[in-house]
Amino acid sequence: MWCVIGEPMGKRKKGDGRPHLDDRKSLSRRRLLTGAASAGAALSTAALTHSQARAAADPAITEIQDWNRYLGDGVDERPYGLPSEFEKHVVRRDVSWLTADPKSSVNFTPLHELEGIITPNGLCFERHHGGIAEIDPAKHRLMINGLVDTPLVFTMEDIMRFPRHNRIYFLECAANSGMEWRGAQLNGCQFTHGMVHNVMYTGVRLSDVLKEAGLQSTAKWLLPEGADAAAMTRSIPLKKGLDDCLIAFKMNGEALRPEQGYPLRLVVPGWEGNMWIKWLRRIEVGDEPWHQREETSKYTDLLANGKARRFTWTMDVKSVITNPSPQAPITHGRGQTVLTGLAWSGYGKIARVDVTIDGGRNWQRARLDGPSFSKSVHRFYHDFYWDGSPLFLQSRAIDDAGNVQPTKAELRTARGQNSIYHNNGIQTWHVREDGSAENVEIS
Ligand SMILES: Nc1nc2c(c(=O)[nH]1)N[C@H]1C(S)=C(S)[C@@H](COP(=O)(O)O)O[C@H]1N2
Ligand SMILES: [Mo]
């Protein structure tokens, strides 16, 4: 921060060697002339804009605050830490009209309040069909049966003795953005895109556990089953199970949360969330899928011609701008502005994200920042000077397999209007002159 106490920036004389308010004009003019802002120019503009906001005498600096005056809580007060009370608004939210009952429903990750690539455990969206199972791990078992040489039952302790692996993956519900198929619906990326989370799992390889039981030569499919009241099951091709699936017991270093399947969940990297069975208690090995026994209609994409896309397991390349967005308007007025968002693909890493602030007339390459892992979310930024005029913000992700995120019009041409699942279309936020933002579609 350039601001010096008792010497607000605006009053400083020009030519004292430090950035001056008047420099802002020449900076932005220079930027216009060269057509591109260097990182340095963008940074100085940011500092100047911030200082301008603090030019008036500020009681936050001149007055002693309570937290500076009194002793705080001791180390015996917070055995399990919680966020600051000033962050109370940062919570998962549900949409009451979406489902008949909250026990078979979904809530959404507050993407617009988060940074980096890791979702904090308490903010990971929840999707369950029979409420949260509260399982005593001492009484939890994992059974492997079906086309195996030796059916086995594992305790938690047994599972912990397999070699462990740490991997960061996104989980996205196939229904994420599903309400947006027919047009802009929900006002906030939490609701349009919040059925995704990204954590580091610690677990053991599913292949190691299956090998212990011994796979028979006819084995082709897996039927993992949950111990919740819904006893949810999904058919998964054995090939995927042997490729990169994990049986996880930790997320972000600590035990899975009950909401996320404590004490065991299946991790199916890059594939739709419904296959990631929580409260995992049994895996049956078979030679054909059990789809007939499942509610396949729920996970089928109905096309305009009445036909359906089925078994669309991999989650397509997708991105969303999280800030600015309807729940995160621009409140600082015109000036240097941080645009950020998330991109992910079930096919691999994100190679590139393009961003437009004028509804697609000009696209610029966003800056990817933070660690980049296959089948994990990636964080992107586009730092720009907002002149106060209305904006139409969009992001377009491209993965390292060459898949390009489609526009919503392209998606509808390919798949019609009847789908719910696998909507990876480009999202538009309209930012008004007052900085507020809304969910819109432009053609
Ligand atoms: N046992 C069980 N596993 C389940 C479900 C469930 O209802 N029961 N829901 C599935 C669906 S549809 C999704 S999208 C993910 C959601 O995982 P999350 O609650 O960790 O976000 O879990 C999947 N695994
Ligand atoms: Mo889901």
Side-chain angles (χ1 to χ4, degrees):
M1 197 59 43
W2 295 105
C3 192
V4 177
I5 296 173
E7 190 199 4
M9 284 237 26
K11 290 195 188 133
R12 241 186 306 132
K13 281 198 202 94
K14 246 189 144 171
D16 58 2
R18 284 174 290 180
H20 191 276
L21 266 187
D22 291 350
D23 296 345
R24 190 171 51 117
K25 262 195 205 139
S26 49
L27 267 179
S28 46
R29 211 175 291 138
R30 199 183 314 144
R31 212 144 49 103
L32 279 177
L33 288 175
T34 57
S38 72
L43 263 183
S44 342
T45 319
L48 287 165
T49 311
H50 287 206
S51 303
Q52 185 183 28
R54 284 164 180 72
D58 186 349
I61 296 173
T62 55
E63 279 168 27
I64 296 171
Q65 309 292 335
D66 277 355
W67 49 84
N68 198 194
R69 226 191 301 247
Y70 307 113
L71 287 175
D73 281 355
V75 293
D76 52 351
E77 302 264 5
R78 304 183 189 195
Y80 195 100
L82 290 173
S84 159
E85 62 172 303
F86 298 101
E87 300 294 320
K88 277 204 172 112
H89 56 288
V90 183
V91 288
R92 302 186 277 225
R93 292 181 193 279
D94 62 325
V95 176
S96 57
W97 51 262
L98 215 54
T99 51
D101 190 317
K103 295 202 184 302
S104 180
S105 192
V106 62
N107 60 24
F108 302 89
T109 308
L111 299 176
H112 60 293
E113 296 284 359
L114 303 179
E115 269 293 341
I117 64 165
I118 295 294
T119 317
N121 290 343
L123 296 176
C124 287
F125 87 95
E126 303 166 59
R127 169 84 180 101
H128 27 79
H129 296 75
I132 300 166
E134 299 276 4
I135 296 178
D136 174 355
K139 293 185 191 153
H140 189 71
R141 301 289 181 270
L142 173 64
M143 180 162 111
I144 311 286
N145 69 323
L147 298 176
V148 290
D149 297 335
T150 323
L152 294 173
V153 174
F154 297 97
T155 63
M156 286 300 293
E157 201 177 22
D158 298 332
I159 292 291
M160 306 293 223
R161 291 168 63 196
F162 285 94
R164 293 180 201 171
H165 300 271
N166 292 287
R167 295 283 184 280
I168 298 178
Y169 293 122
F170 76 82
L171 180 166
E172 183 182 16
C173 178
N176 199 20
S177 316
M179 286 78 79
E180 305 290 308
W181 262 105
R182 280 166 217 182
Q185 272 277 330
L186 298 170
N187 229 12
C189 65
Q190 178 165 18
F191 304 110
T192 56
H193 290 75
M195 280 153 105
V196 66
H197 55 61
N198 200 70
V199 306
M200 180 166 73
Y201 296 97
T202 307
V204 302
R205 280 201 183 111
L206 175 56
S207 62
D208 287 345
V209 174
L210 291 174
K211 270 176 216 151
E212 183 91 354
L215 288 167
Q216 294 186 0
S217 59
T218 48
K220 280 212 171 57
W221 288 85
L222 301 173
L223 185 79
E225 179 185 81
D228 52 329
M232 181 153 162
T233 56
R234 280 287 164 238
S235 295
I236 299 178
L238 177 61
K239 196 164 174 288
K240 176 65 175 175
L242 296 178
D243 177 22
D244 59 359
C245 289
L246 297 176
I247 297 173
F249 41 84
K250 301 267 159 131
M251 57 195 285
N252 293 333
E254 64 177 3
L256 294 175
R257 292 288 171 91
E259 304 92 295
Q260 265 69 45
Y262 179 86
L264 285 181
R265 107 170 290 170
L266 197 61
V267 170
V268 191
W271 286 26
E272 54 186 31
N274 66 76
M275 302 177 113
W276 299 49
I277 298 297
K278 304 192 273 191
W279 312 291
L280 181 69
R281 72 162 172 210
R282 191 168 73 91
I283 301 175
E284 191 177 327
V285 182
D287 54 1
E288 58 178 24
W290 284 260
H291 298 302
Q292 292 76 4
R293 306 206 311 227
E294 300 166 15
E295 299 170 84
T296 34
S297 60
K298 288 189 101 173
Y299 291 96
T300 301
D301 307 327
L302 196 58
L303 300 180
N305 61 10
K307 290 195 177 159
R309 277 170 94 229
R310 275 179 71 185
F311 313 141
T312 44
W313 294 312
T314 307
M315 297 309 293
D316 296 305
V317 63
K318 187 164 173 176
S319 69
V320 65
I321 292 170
T322 54
N323 312 75
S325 64
Q327 296 161 288
I330 302 177
T331 51
H332 57 58
R334 65 186 59 199
Q336 196 58 34
T337 302
V338 174
L339 179 157
T340 186
L342 294 169
W344 62 94
S345 167
Y347 293 95
K349 289 187 184 183
I350 291 300
R352 182 174 138 192
V353 176
D354 296 325
V355 164
T356 177
I357 62 171
D358 57 14
R361 248 167 285 155
N362 299 286
W363 288 92
Q364 270 170 299
R365 201 168 169 150
R367 176 170 59 90
L368 290 171
D369 185 79
S372 165
F373 301 110
S374 179
K375 301 164 191 175
S376 158
V377 305
H378 292 60
R379 171 64 60 178
F380 67 84
Y381 294 96
H382 174 63
D383 304 291
F384 72 103
Y385 189 92
W386 183 42
D387 61 8
S389 60
L391 305 172
F392 290 91
L393 308 178
Q394 297 180 326
S395 62
R396 174 179 62 203
I398 302 169
D399 67 21
D400 63 1
N403 299 300
V404 182
Q405 186 181 1
T407 63
K408 289 190 179 176
E410 285 166 347
L411 259 189
R412 290 191 186 112
T413 307
R415 292 207 233 138
Q417 306 259 333
N418 297 328
S419 295
I420 296 175
Y421 301 106
H422 294 276
N423 179 355
N424 66 325
I426 289 175
Q427 174 66 44
T428 311
W429 305 128
H430 171 45
V431 179
R432 302 186 196 90
E433 282 164 334
D434 64 0
S436 64
E438 72 174 322
N439 181 5
V440 299
E441 281 195 26
I442 49 175
S443 41

